[in-house]
């Protein structure tokens, strides 16, 4: 049980107020046109079974700030829900012989209780669960809107495939450097399947612009690099047989230096280009490449490998015949799956050419760099910055004109054009899984892919499914679920058995919070008009390149369809850091350094845990847990309880003591107000600790005075967002009206907070010898006179005149003797 002092029992107090807040619907958020709205959103969790310390670290400070905004007069919406679809539930079904729905909803029930023990101001009426039929009905509806707009399409795409289990594998199911199946250990291969995509690339250019939103620079950089905009040219090469191979290059001015081409092993022309003599070697290489992940293939330190196809292409700018190779570092998922190689001016191409004895041709002559007489003597690629040489009609073109001239040339010859390329690929949403939102499409032999009529949504998951140890999707194996009638022709057809990526569910959950039970659309338009956009979104930066890009794309696409308004869904984003173990390592059960929040709540109370998580590190950085540190926060809250509630004899305050206390209180209030706005939670706690020390030391003098009453009221209000239970209890015992959480944030008295005096450091020959208190607006003459009048300084001078007296305004006087 929690440690007690007279009258203060965290467990009893927290349970009391949590029940009362829930009974009174204290945290319900409704449309109120007389108040300014504030939509505060924190990332919803996956229902894994328990809230861990990372959940508390992300959410309790976010809750504190939402409370602060409410006390500042905002009508605050702060909802919570569960991102409930996903692979772990299927794994549980196989390992524990339990249905994913049963496992998921049992976990949600447990985690909901844990959330309530946190004391957060969630409006539980607005809870959403993404695996509820009333939720994924609208996930499917959104899919259909994207399909109608031409933003959802189906094409062949590779997946990780276990040939033994005869099933696709998620990324986390492929283990080890040798990439084997986690279940049976069989080496994994790549297999092409028909899969569904969203055309996120249509929005690539807009997604790298952040006008009108306050997002961290780090997130903007991560997203911009991930999207990867490049300006260059699309150039058409042809094989000897006349087949076209389009490549994208950012350096069209180096086309004359192309000495070979490289295709991705999966490129459709590989089979046609490969000669009989090279076929066996090429086929083995293609198979080996299929067993590697894209990350492995692109690794900078990976040894370059490749195989000659035996085929050739024609360089369109000079007619030269160049060999075509395949190499695993070229990906079909980036660019066109084919690259031109200019080994003289690209280090990766240079290394490849040297390894396989391919020619090198210099076509750029940098200024100030001595070029070797022979390319054979080169030891590394030459920078591609300078005058064009060996480049036919463009030879002699200066470097600052080469890009433009090369574009003009290829366009005039009809062999290429200026183009913009993005690293970002279309969003693959197909998952060969059961526990996800079914994709609402039907495959008809006569009509092709046909959308499910909207009045037939949701396409629900069958509950009578059989789980196989291999992990094959039960939807494919179900005896009746997939067999349907085509909505177009009435003929026999089959349902799509893929389900949607769970990131689809989390791309729009902020909209369903607005009206979770609304059945005429995904949200009530009146709620949307009042609450949207989200004012502040908090969560981990690890979501920068997936969820945070997907949700922006989703909003922009729905804007163009006419469902949403504005350019962005979230105006402000803030990211928290990570809580490490006491050993400074990431928490994990295997390391034995996991901290269980439930145990801490039992031992210390939720308020102590909340306050410690805000205090122990900068919220955006995180840091290692400290058992001793939380004890210190627990002592502080007990001291605050005594300071504010335990009576003492009425004091006899002086004007000086009253002014000093009011100055400290309003300076603290000013700092805490600023820090709440800036998410600087650690300095909020340290400021409150410092003020409590000041108040404890002056309580016997000031107790009972108006200044003391003002200080206690302001203090408990500043404490309320951080430690809501103890603040509510103290507020009630002070005789104040219920509830402190609906009271107004105190106003800073700038006059009271103003500094009237400062401390000047007095140095003699640069060493500190004394300190004196002077008026804040002291003149230079008076500051020097005060320093020289110091008894310590007079003794050191021994009646002699100093050589020099230097005054640094507001800081120090340095006396040179």
């Amino acid at each position: 049980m929690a440690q007690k002092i007279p009258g203060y029992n965290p467990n009893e107090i927290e349970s009391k107020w949590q029940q009362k807040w829930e009974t009174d619907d204290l945290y319900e958020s409704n449309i109120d046109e007389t108040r300014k709205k504030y939509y505060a959103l924190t990332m919803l969790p996956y229902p894994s079974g328990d809230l861990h310390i990372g959940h508390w670290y992300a959410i309790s400070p976010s809750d504190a700030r939402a409370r602060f905004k409410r006390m500042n007069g905002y009508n605050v919406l702060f909802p919570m829900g569960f991102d409930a679809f996903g692979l772990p539930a299927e794994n549980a079904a196989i390992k524990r012989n339990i249905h994913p729905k049963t496992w998921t909803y049992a976990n949600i029930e447990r985690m909901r209780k844990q959330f309530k023990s946190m004391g957060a101001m969630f409006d539980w009426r607005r809870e959403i669960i993404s695996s509820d039929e009333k939720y994924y009905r609208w996930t499917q509806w959104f899919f259909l809107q994207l399909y109608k707009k031409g933003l959802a399409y189906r094409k062949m795409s590779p997946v990780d495939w276990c040939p033994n289990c005869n099933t696709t594998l998620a990324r986390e199911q492929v283990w080890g450097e040798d990439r084997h199946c986690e279940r049976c250990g069989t080496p994994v291969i790549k297999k092409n399947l028909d899969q569904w995509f969203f055309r996120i690339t249509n929005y690539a250019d807009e997604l790298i612009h952040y006008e009108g939103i306050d997002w961290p620079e780090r997130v903007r950089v991560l997203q911009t690099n991930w999207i990867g905009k490049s300006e260059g040219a699309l150039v058409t090469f042809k094989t000897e047989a006349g087949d076209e191979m389009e490549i994208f290059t950012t350096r069209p001015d180096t086309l004359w230096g192309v000495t070979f081409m490289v295709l991705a092993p999966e490129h459709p022309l590989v089979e046609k280009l490969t000669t009989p003599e090279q076929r066996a070697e090429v086929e083995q290489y293609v198979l080996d490449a299929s067993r590697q992940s894209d990350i492995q293939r692109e690794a900078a330190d990976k040894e370059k490998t490749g195989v000659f196809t035996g085929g050739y292409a024609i360089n369109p700018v000079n007619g030269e015949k160049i060999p075509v190779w395949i190499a695993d570092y070229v990906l079909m998922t980036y660019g066109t799956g084919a690259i031109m190689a200019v080994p003289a001016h690209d280090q990766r191409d240079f290394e490849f050419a040297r390894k396989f004895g391919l020619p090198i041709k210099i076509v750029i002559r940098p200024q100030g760099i001595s070029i070797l007489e022979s390319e054979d003597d080169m030891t590394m690629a030459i920078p591609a910055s300078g005058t064009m040489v060996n480049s036919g009609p463009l030879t002699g073109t200066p470097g600052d004109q080469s890009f433009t001239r090369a574009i003009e040339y290829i366009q005039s010859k009809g062999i290429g054009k200026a183009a913009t390329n993005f690293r970002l690929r279309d969003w693959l949403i197909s998952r060969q899984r059961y526990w996800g939102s079914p994709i609402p499409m039907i495959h008809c032999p006569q009509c092709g892919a046909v959308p499910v009529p909207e009045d037939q949504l949701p396409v629900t998951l069958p509950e009578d499914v059989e789980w196989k140890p291999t992990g094959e999707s039960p939807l494919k194996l179900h005896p009746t679920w997939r067999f349907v009638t085509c909505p177009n022709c009435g003929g026999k057809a089959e349902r799509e058995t893929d389900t949607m990526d769970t990131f689809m569910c989390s791309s729009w959950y902020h909209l369903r919070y607005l009206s979770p039970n609304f059945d005429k659309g995904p949200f009530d338009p009146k709620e949307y008009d009042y609450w949207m956009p989200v004012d502040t979104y908090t969560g981990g930066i690890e979501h920068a390149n997936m969820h945070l890009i997907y949700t922006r794309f989703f909003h922009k696409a729905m804007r163009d369809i006419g469902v949403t308004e504005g350019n962005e869904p979230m105006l402000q984003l803030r990211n928290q850091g990570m809580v490490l173990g006491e050993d400074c390592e990431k928490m994990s059960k295997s390391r034995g350094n996991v901290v269980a929040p439930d145990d801490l709540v039992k031992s210390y109370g939720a308020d102590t845990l909340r306050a410690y998580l805000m205090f122990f590190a900068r919220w955006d950085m995180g840091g290692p847990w400290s058992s001793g540190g939380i004890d210190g926060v627990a002592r502080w809250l007990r001291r605050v309880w005594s300071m504010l509630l335990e009576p003492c004899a009425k004091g006899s305050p002086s004007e000086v003591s009253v002014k000093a206390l009011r100055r400290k209180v309003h300076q603290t209030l000013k700092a805490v107000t600023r820090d709440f706005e800036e998410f600087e939670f650690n300095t909020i706690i340290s400021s409150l600790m410092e003020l409590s020390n000041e108040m404890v030391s002056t309580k016997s003098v000031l107790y009972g005075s108006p200044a003391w009453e003002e200080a206690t009221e302001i203090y408990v209000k500043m404490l309320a967002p951080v430690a809501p239970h103890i603040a509510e209890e103290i507020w009630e015992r002070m005789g104040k009206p219920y509830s402190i959480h609906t009271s107004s944030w105190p106003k800073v008295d700038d006059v009271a907070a103003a500094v009237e005096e400062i401390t000047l450091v007095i140095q003699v020959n640069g060493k500190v010898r004394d300190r004196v208190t002077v008026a804040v607006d002291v003149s230079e003459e008076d500051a020097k006179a005060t320093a020289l009048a110091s008894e310590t300084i007079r003794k050191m001078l021994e009646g002699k005149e100093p050589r020099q007296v230097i005054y640094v305004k507001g800081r120090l006087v340095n006396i040179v003797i």
Side-chain angles (χ1 to χ4, degrees), residues 237 240 245 258-263 273 307-315 320-326 339-341 352 356-359:
F237 286 69
E240 288 184 294
M245 289 189 295
V258 176
T259 60
F260 61 98
M261 293 187 71
V262 184
L263 304 184
L273 276 164
V307 172
F308 178 40
T309 64
Y312 290 85
I314 305 301
N315 188 331
E320 291 182 359
K321 189 169 82 168
I322 52 177
V324 180
W325 286 62
I326 61 170
I339 67 166
M340 64 180 213
F352 194 93
F356 295 107
L358 295 166

Side-chain angles (χ1 to χ4, degrees), residues 502-527:
T502 56
F503 279 118
M504 175 60 177
C505 304
S506 59
S507 290
W508 75 278
Y509 75 101
H510 56 285
L511 298 176
R512 194 59 181 172
Y513 279 143
L514 304 178
S515 41
N517 298 309
F518 191 68
D519 63 357
K520 295 181 177 60
F523 52 81
D524 184 337
K526 285 188 275 188
E527 295 275 345

Side-chain angles (χ1 to χ4, degrees), residues 3-10 12-13 637-638 641-643 645-647 729 733:
Q3 302 177 51
K4 296 182 181 180
I5 65 167
Y8 179 48
N9 183 326
E12 290 179 6
I13 288 170
L637 286 179
R638 292 197 300 271
W641 176 274
S642 301
M643 175 187 79
L645 293 179
E646 289 185 1
E729 182 71 18
R733 295 193 183 206

